Amino acid sequence: MTTQKLVVIGNGMAPGRALERLLEKAPDTYEITIFNAEPRVNYDRIMLSPVLSGEKSYKDILIHDDAWYAEHGLTLKKGCKATSIDREKKQVTGADGSVVDYDKLLIATGSSPFIIPIPGKDLDGVLTYRDLDDVEAMLEAAKSGGSAVVIGGGLLGLEAAAGLKERGMDVTVLHLMPTLMERQLDTAAGYLLERAIEARGIKVRTGANTHEIIGEDRVEGVRLDDGTELPADIVVMAVGIRPNGDLARDAGLEVNRGIVVDDAMQTSDPDILAVGECVEHRGTAYGLVAPLYEMAAVVADRLQDGSATYTGSVTSTRLKVTGIDLFSAGDFAEGKDREEIVLRDAANGVYKRLVIQEDKLIGIVLYGDTKDGAWFFQLMREGASIEEMRETLIFGQNYAGGSPLDPTAAVAALPDDAEICGCNGVCKSKIVGAITEHGLTSLDEVRARTKASASCGSCTGLVEQLMAFTLGDGFVPDAVQPMCGCTDLSHDDVRRLIVAKELKSIPAAMQELEWRTSCGCAKCRPALNFYLVADWPGEYEDDYQSRYINERVHANIQKDGTYSVVPRMWGGMTSSQELRAIADVVDKFGIPSVKVTGGQRIDLLGVPKENLPAVWADLNAAGMVSGHAYAKGLRTVKTCVGTDWCRFGTQDSTGLGVKIEKMMWGSWTPHKVKMAVSGCPRNCAEATCKDIGVICVDSGYELHVGGAAGMHIKGTEVMCSVETEAEALEYCAAVVQLYREQGRYLERIYKWMDRVGLDAIREQVVEDEAKRTALFEKFLYSQRFAQKDPWAERVAGKDAHEFAPMNRIAMREAAE
């Protein structure tokens, strides 16, 4: 048999594995020459992170040493990059001028790190993280300590950050997206990962877009789009890779994103194969080692004239940072025909999510407990039916197909001295003893007697399980109405725990309160968003995607899909300038309907969504802002003309109404809030059917609360009387703040008052001066962050995608 000549361009893990397989099966088939751009032998690139962190050395990660190449008679041209391929002559030329003939050629040129094209990218000190040279450069830089900025919160970026931190550097990770590793993890797991990374002393800034790298000749810092500057001695770019296809392209081979290969790993030239990260197979380029090894097995077989095929890979992800356990695989996006099983253990930082479609596992996200990752992955790859084990699937392989767990079994197995309530140091025996000794049958009784679950409340479920175990059928759980199907907690419990546990993001709330779904639902997300906005002003950033459509686009959607626009008119007052501006807008945009509302404003009806920013721009130019006619917040403050024009007026009702509206506009509340100020008891502003009403009288102001004039008709009740305008403003703001703190999302003020009682409101707002002052100050503080005109922000470009049509379809095209 004649020995053929095989040339391999590249000496990474994929060609190394292919050669191993080839030499095992057919060691004498080829005379092999390898061009290697790196000046060393083959090593395990996925172990670069342990080398960077100091856990391993270069020798520890060698795959093939010099002796292996010599033993198999391979010619390894170290540090010699292949510069051209002559397909006619079947020759490869190296950078050293050498020319090598081939019968078969294997291209394995790998990939290159992507460099963000920003100013400063070429400065000394800007590094990538791809090979051992990069690691050595980082190790050299880390010797003198200092600060490192890692751009990219994906797998490589986080591994680089952890390694540099281990080497003593002060490290900041910048990530453009809202959560880390968003391609491999969902939002919930991304939150836990960020928390774990920060616990290691690494600072993380998500949603951070790098504007430029600062420095004269060498890196001195990084400037973000928002103007923030971070000092840096080195900057590591770890934002992705691109297949190296230039050599193949220059040789006339078909190259798209990568070198195009078929299922036989053959390029557009039948004598040339390709393998590894440089390859594009069925439109996909892989960057993980598992699919590269699967490709390598096919290449080895084909080089022996075999018939093996590569049909693509299902991949999984693990992070190689000690102490962080995460695993993900498959497709975990939401979909109408998909369901999910979620298990959260807040105390142990565990999150598990399985995505199922047609009784098959299609997506896996595990954080904190990944021991069943391989088993889940196998089920997914095999397309196995999980129908028979659905009830216990999430608990892992040891429980597969078993009976559903008895929820009280675990608590029954706890020893008597097991701590149930960490906040108050209450153990199991104390709770059981109190139940039996005092005949306690309700959760409130247990709380009052033992203090268990009386603080943060996170052990409430455990206490209830203990009561069920102790009382058996005699235990009747409290009839708590949960917020939605995603949780057993009520609105009140969620609010209390958000404050007690200092939860300041939706992912944090869902994880720490052990939500049963990964991302919540249309009921709980808007509620959580409001509670976080109300409880953490200035710290929590409003999640507009957790709002209903009207609040997302700051206009009311109409039955034909157009929107209505209502500019604010303070206290119902307007001017000729404003009216002219409104008229001009109506003419300019062909707005079909203009209507005066019951709230003393003008409604422009029939505005297409894409025209909203332009309409707002013109209204802004005339000095008008959003009227928040769509908001769960302050809508209007209706007024009569008061002492300015009315012969019965007792006070300046218009002036007070304007002051109230200017104090309260922009505030978010559990539901809409409508107010009114009437200048005398004749009540022309109809203040006694508003959420909050003010009736001016000779001696001052009567303050009313709890009216309604919508689906329910209800007159207000008098809360109190005050003597001055300043007092009226303070009392009104205090009531609204109390409503913000106690009201359940979508609960109107009159319903909140029915629930808590007017006496309770009077007690806190009227009789307790210190409490009233605190409420007033908290409201004013929150307004510092709330009073931003949303129209002006959108005109400036915020959320611009929301108003851009996805596509315009002509009628004929649509009919076709």
Side-chain angles (χ1 to χ4, degrees):
M1 179 177 172
T2 304
T3 301
Q4 299 184 72
K5 293 182 178 179
L6 170 65
V7 171
V8 181
I9 302 176
N11 194 41
M13 296 172 69
R17 176 59 63 91
L19 291 177
E20 274 184 4
R21 294 291 181 89
L22 176 63
L23 295 171
E24 286 171 6
K25 299 290 185 181
D28 301 322
T29 306
Y30 293 96
E31 176 186 330
I32 301 173
T33 302
I34 305 168
F35 284 87
N36 185 17
E38 287 192 63
R40 55 181 68 89
V41 292
N42 187 16
Y43 59 90
D44 189 345
R45 291 170 192 269
I46 65 174
M47 298 306 288
L48 287 175
S49 297
V51 175
L52 179 60
S53 64
E55 297 170 62
K56 291 184 181 295
S57 67
Y58 168 59
K59 289 183 178 178
D60 295 328
I61 66 170
L62 284 179
I63 296 176
H64 302 130
D65 58 14
D66 287 307
W68 183 83
Y69 293 92
E71 177 187 349
H72 293 90
L74 308 182
T75 301
L76 175 62
K77 297 172 75 64
K78 293 180 186 176
C80 183
K81 183 178 180 180
T83 57
S84 65
I85 301 168
D86 187 332
R87 292 168 56 199
E88 290 289 329
K89 296 179 179 178
K90 290 194 170 185
Q91 292 177 334
V92 175
T93 301
D96 61 353
S98 60
V99 178
V100 180
D101 296 332
Y102 68 82
D103 296 299
K104 290 288 185 181
L105 173 63
L106 176 61
I107 301 177
T109 44
S111 62
S112 298
F114 177 68
I115 305 296
I116 308 172
I118 54 175
K121 65 181 177 58
D122 297 321
L123 286 172
D124 191 17
V126 177
L127 308 172
T128 57
Y129 184 33
R130 193 67 196 145
D131 55 29
L132 197 62
D133 290 336
D134 296 329
V135 171
E136 290 176 349
M138 282 190 268
L139 291 174
E140 183 64 27
K143 284 181 180 176
S144 53
S147 300
V149 169
V150 177
I151 302 176
L155 268 174
L156 283 180
L158 296 180
E159 290 175 9
L164 291 170
K165 184 65 182 175
E166 287 292 323
R167 294 289 181 174
M169 298 197 79
D170 181 33
V171 183
T172 301
V173 174
L174 304 178
H175 193 55
L176 182 62
M177 303 307 289
T179 55
L180 299 174
M181 289 182 63
E182 76 286 345
R183 293 178 63 185
Q184 292 86 16
L185 300 177
D186 61 13
T187 303
Y191 154 73
L192 285 170
L193 176 60
E194 182 174 337
R195 197 176 66 171
I197 294 292
E198 289 179 331
R200 292 166 172 266
I202 299 170
K203 293 181 277 294
V204 177
R205 297 177 72 109
T206 54
N209 194 21
T210 306
H211 186 77
E212 68 173 314
I213 299 171
I214 308 165
E216 292 294 329
D217 299 318
R218 182 176 173 79
V219 168
E220 295 175 9
V222 169
R223 181 178 294 122
L224 306 182
D225 268 356
D226 64 4
T228 303
E229 290 189 5
L230 304 171
D233 297 291
I234 61 169
V235 172
V236 179
M237 284 203 190
V239 292
I241 57 173
R242 285 182 171 172
N244 283 330
D246 290 345
L247 187 65
R249 187 180 289 107
D250 292 344
L253 297 175
E254 184 182 357
V255 179
N256 291 326
R257 185 181 169 200
I259 304 169
V260 177
V261 296
D262 59 16
D263 289 356
M265 302 307 297
Q266 183 177 295
T267 68
S268 53
D269 184 326
D271 290 323
I272 302 178
L273 292 84
V275 69
E277 293 176 344
C278 62
V279 157
E280 177 182 321
H281 175 263
R282 297 189 183 184
T284 300
Y286 294 93
L288 299 173
V289 70
L292 308 191
Y293 279 170
E294 291 172 7
M295 294 178 194
V298 174
V299 166
D301 182 74
R302 288 287 176 167
L303 287 172
Q304 302 167 63
D305 294 329
S307 58
T309 57
Y310 175 72
T311 57
S313 298
V314 179
T315 60
S316 63
T317 299
R318 289 180 185 272
L319 183 67
K320 294 178 291 299
V321 173
T322 304
I324 296 179
D325 296 323
L326 68 82
F327 179 94
S328 74
D331 181 358
F332 42 84
E334 294 183 62
K336 288 183 179 178
D337 57 345
R338 298 177 178 183
E339 58 180 308
E340 63 178 11
I341 304 173
V342 173
L343 174 67
R344 299 181 195 251
D345 180 351
N348 294 302
V350 172
Y351 170 75
K352 298 182 180 182
R353 179 183 174 216
L354 304 178
V355 181
I356 297 165
Q357 187 175 39
E358 297 179 349
D359 289 329
K360 293 178 182 177
L361 196 55
I362 64 166
I364 308 159
V365 182
L366 307 176
Y367 189 95
D369 178 2
T370 60
K371 63 179 182 297
D372 288 307
W375 179 65
F376 288 135
F377 189 53
Q378 188 66 21
L379 289 176
M380 190 178 76
R381 294 185 62 168
E382 293 174 348
S385 173
I386 55 86
E387 184 178 7
E388 298 296 325
M389 61 179 100
R390 181 185 298 264
E391 292 287 333
T392 55
L393 181 65
I394 195 71
F395 300 110
Q397 189 171 14
N398 291 339
Y399 296 91
S403 301
L405 296 178
D406 177 358
T408 64
V411 75
L414 292 174
D416 286 346
D417 60 352
E419 187 176 76
I420 302 296
C421 176
C423 297
N424 297 300
V426 185
C427 66
K428 174 184 172 182
S429 61
K430 183 174 180 179
I431 297 171
V432 173
I435 292 171
T436 54
E437 181 179 348
H438 300 285
L440 310 180
T441 58
S442 72
L443 182 61
D444 286 342
E445 290 175 333
V446 172
R447 279 176 175 162
R449 179 68 63 173
T450 68
K451 302 297 184 188
S453 80
S455 293
C456 83
S458 60
C459 63
T460 298
L462 201 54
V463 174
E464 288 183 327
Q465 289 175 22
L466 199 52
M467 295 180 70
F469 165 68
T470 308
L471 297 172
D473 294 338
F475 173 60
V476 180
D478 292 342
V480 174
Q481 182 67 37
M483 176 186 284
C484 64
C486 301
T487 177
D488 290 331
L489 296 171
S490 67
H491 281 267
D492 296 340
D493 284 336
V494 170
R495 293 216 68 170
R496 180 170 55 83
L497 292 170
I498 282 175
V499 175
K501 289 175 170 283
E502 298 188 1
L503 307 177
K504 299 181 180 179
S505 70
I506 289 178
M510 289 183 175
Q511 175 62 26
E512 302 307 324
L513 304 184
E514 299 185 340
W515 238 239
R516 284 199 294 264
T517 56
S518 58
C519 300
C521 67
K523 288 184 178 178
C524 62
R525 283 195 73 93
L528 285 174
N529 189 52
F530 166 70
Y531 296 150
L532 291 163
V533 164
D535 290 335
W536 306 111
E539 296 183 68
Y540 173 72
E541 185 172 349
D542 179 37
D543 178 18
Y544 96 105
Q545 291 186 326
S546 293
R547 294 191 176 277
Y548 296 124
I549 178 64
N550 290 348
E551 291 185 335
R552 283 209 307 275
V553 300
H554 300 278
N556 281 321
I557 192 168
Q558 304 298 304
K559 61 185 292 184
D560 63 351
T562 63
Y563 289 80
S564 77
V565 172
V566 182
R568 192 167 288 282
M569 291 181 173
W570 308 103
M573 295 296 290
T574 187
S575 66
S576 58
Q577 181 192 5
E578 289 183 348
L579 293 174
R580 284 194 189 93
I582 289 172
D584 288 344
V585 166
V586 170
D587 290 342
K588 179 178 179 181
F589 294 95
I591 294 173
S593 295
V594 182
K595 190 177 187 309
V596 176
T597 74
Q600 299 180 331
R601 307 196 286 191
I602 293 177
D603 191 354
L604 312 182
L605 293 143
V607 182
K609 188 178 183 182
E610 60 268 28
N611 284 354
L612 288 172
V615 168
W616 296 336
D618 285 5
L619 295 172
N620 278 161
M624 287 178 276
V625 299
S626 169
H628 291 85
Y630 47 81
K632 306 290 184 291
L634 178 73
R635 297 284 181 89
T636 59
V637 182
K638 191 173 181 179
T639 67
C640 65
V641 295
T643 50
D644 282 351
W645 297 97
C646 179
R647 57 199 172 97
F648 300 110
T650 62
Q651 307 286 350
D652 179 12
S653 55
T654 305
L656 177 58
V658 171
K659 289 176 184 173
I660 291 174
E661 191 163 355
K662 290 198 171 182
M663 177 178 66
M664 291 192 171
W665 76 275
S667 60
W668 294 108
T669 48
H671 209 302
K672 59 187 175 185
V673 172
K674 294 183 177 180
M675 301 179 67
V677 182
S678 289
C680 76
R682 287 173 175 78
N683 192 21
C684 292
E686 301 164 336
T688 52
C689 65
K690 302 298 183 187
D691 295 288
I692 300 175
V694 180
I695 303 291
C696 299
V697 294
D698 289 332
S699 58
Y701 307 86
E702 274 185 6
L703 304 185
H704 294 238
V705 294
M711 292 180 66
H712 299 92
I713 307 298
K714 184 177 183 298
T716 55
E717 295 185 49
V718 179
M719 182 177 71
C720 65
S721 296
V722 296
E723 295 181 357
T724 67
E725 263 195 3
E727 288 175 307
L729 287 164
E730 180 181 338
Y731 280 59
C732 287
V735 170
V736 171
Q737 180 62 26
L738 191 63
Y739 170 53
R740 281 160 49 89
E741 294 180 5
Q742 297 182 351
R744 298 166 184 166
Y745 188 66
L746 299 183
E747 183 179 51
R748 290 291 298 269
I749 280 189
Y750 73 94
K751 291 186 176 179
W752 163 66
M753 191 172 79
D754 287 345
R755 178 165 60 83
V756 303
L758 179 58
D759 288 343
I761 297 172
R762 280 200 188 104
E763 184 180 328
Q764 297 175 82
V765 175
V766 181
E767 298 164 12
D768 187 340
E769 182 180 352
K771 175 79 173 181
R772 179 178 66 251
T773 302
L775 289 168
F776 180 53
E777 290 177 350
K778 280 198 282 187
F779 181 80
L780 294 183
Y781 177 75
S782 71
Q783 289 296 85
R784 290 166 52 185
F785 310 98
Q787 289 194 326
K788 298 175 183 173
D789 178 31
W791 290 358
E793 290 182 320
R794 272 69 194 172
V795 170
K798 186 175 183 180
D799 302 332
H801 64 281
E802 188 73 61
F803 306 97
M806 295 176 65
N807 196 6
R808 294 185 186 280
I809 303 173
M811 291 303 292
R812 182 180 176 187
E813 185 181 349
E816 289 173 351

